[in-house]
Amino acid sequence: MKLSSRRRSMRLLRPAPPLRLGLLRALVGTFATIYLLARLPHLISFGDFPAERFAPVGPVGLLDQPLAAGAVTTLVLAAVALGAAFTTGWRYRISGPAFALLFLWVTTYRNSWGTVLHTENLLALQVLVIGFVRAADAFSLDARRVGEERSESWRYGWPIRLVTVVTVLTYFVAGWAKIRFGGAEWLFGDTLRNQIAHDNLRKLLLGDFYSPFGGWLTQFGWLFPPMAIGSAIIELGAPLALTNGRLGRWWARAAWSFHVAIMAVMAIVFAYQISFVAFAAFFRLEVGWERVRGWRLWRQRATAT
């Protein structure tokens, strides 16, 4: 037992280059900032909602009443500004934690008006982890200002590993919830088939965007048991992704494919997961970055000659 615990600790504290963590920060920060910008009118609109609709959840539960419209707008705009600082790694000791907390607040405030969405949970958790560590020691404005090269260290490895742990746990919890509340019937496929049919029919009747492909697919009952079992393997088997780097990368691809399938049959888009940024921590990002740099250098030399 002690040996197993020591091995887990060694995996968690395995060193990583600062560039990998810096690239992860830039990717996650870019998505989070664009996400806020894309939903800016929506997030600001809650300043004008009637107070009786306010049902605070999470950290917003500290409030007894909703914020004034001006305060809501100010916080959302501040989150966008801090998101830019987070992404570029500018004054990161301040902007990192500040953006992590403010992003959590803004998205939770949006969920405090009667409809609790879970599509933002993983993004918020990953931002929280990255915001409170030394993620701007490379590939950042701070690193350029200091001009000091940093070598690989466990200080850059464990935050990346923690991001993968958080990611895996969100899937495991989702899979466990399906089995706990749906029972073994979930694995037989009927529950999944009925869910797809109900979701698409509801959207069709309400005039919302739906998946004709998903509705057509429900006539083939034999397809759904393997689909249900496959989703259970991806979600409940997610912790296996932490045991081996190659297995983790394969799991990340499988989880991404899972979300593509959901989008195809139910027209439900998990934008963060579909972008693949949600799974970036499972990959050696610095290798890809060096390849990009090498290709750009080759293009510049080819153009010069």
Side-chain angles (χ1 to χ4, degrees), residues 7-272:
R7 285 176 177 173
R8 285 195 294 269
S9 299
M10 289 177 64
R11 282 197 295 267
L12 183 63
L13 298 178
R14 190 179 304 157
L19 180 58
R20 188 183 302 176
L21 184 55
L23 289 167
L24 181 62
R25 182 209 74 246
L27 286 171
V28 174
T30 297
F31 186 95
T33 305
I34 293 175
Y35 183 84
L36 292 176
L37 284 170
R39 296 175 65 84
L40 196 64
H42 176 69
L43 294 171
I44 290 176
S45 69
F46 291 102
D48 298 322
F49 273 41
E52 56 269 18
R53 294 183 58 182
F54 185 59
V57 296
V60 181
L62 297 172
L63 297 179
D64 295 326
Q65 57 185 4
L67 298 173
V72 173
T73 301
T74 299
L75 289 173
V76 173
L77 294 178
V80 173
L82 286 169
F86 179 100
T87 302
T88 58
W90 182 73
R91 305 293 180 185
Y92 196 75
R93 288 187 177 182
I94 298 174
S95 64
F99 177 64
L101 293 174
L102 196 51
F103 185 85
L104 177 64
W105 178 271
V106 168
T107 52
T108 306
Y109 193 81
R110 176 259 171 271
N111 284 337
S112 297
W113 294 91
T115 303
V116 179
L117 302 177
H118 63 280
T119 53
E120 301 158 342
N121 291 356
L122 180 57
L123 175 57
L125 288 172
Q126 290 191 359
V127 170
L128 277 172
V129 173
I130 298 170
F132 283 89
V133 298
R134 294 175 56 173
D137 284 357
F139 201 72
S140 67
L141 294 178
D142 284 356
R144 182 176 298 181
R145 175 170 52 86
V146 174
E148 180 182 344
E149 290 287 337
R150 308 229 181 223
S151 58
E152 69 174 38
S153 167
W154 63 269
R155 292 183 178 86
Y156 309 115
W158 77 261
I160 298 172
R161 239 76 68 186
L162 184 56
V163 169
T164 63
V165 170
V166 167
T167 304
V168 159
L169 286 178
T170 61
Y171 282 87
F172 180 79
V173 169
W176 179 257
K178 288 185 178 70
I179 300 300
R180 180 182 179 186
F181 297 107
E185 293 181 2
W186 171 262
L187 299 177
F188 298 148
D190 289 341
T191 302
L192 177 61
R193 184 184 184 187
N194 293 337
Q195 184 177 352
I196 292 173
H198 175 268
D199 184 78
N200 283 303
L201 179 60
R202 178 183 61 83
K203 290 174 179 175
L204 176 63
L205 294 176
L206 293 175
D208 200 358
F209 184 74
Y210 71 102
S211 170
F213 174 69
W216 172 81
L217 206 64
T218 56
Q219 63 184 304
F220 305 105
W222 58 271
L223 282 173
F224 290 90
M227 288 172 61
I229 293 172
S231 68
I233 290 174
I234 291 172
E235 292 182 322
L236 292 177
L240 294 175
L242 302 175
T243 62
N244 179 276
R246 181 175 296 180
L247 186 59
R249 291 188 287 275
W250 276 108
W251 176 84
R253 297 183 185 101
W256 177 80
S257 301
F258 169 71
H259 286 286
V260 172
I262 292 174
M263 183 173 62
V265 302
M266 299 180 71
I268 297 176
V269 179
F270 289 79
Y272 189 46

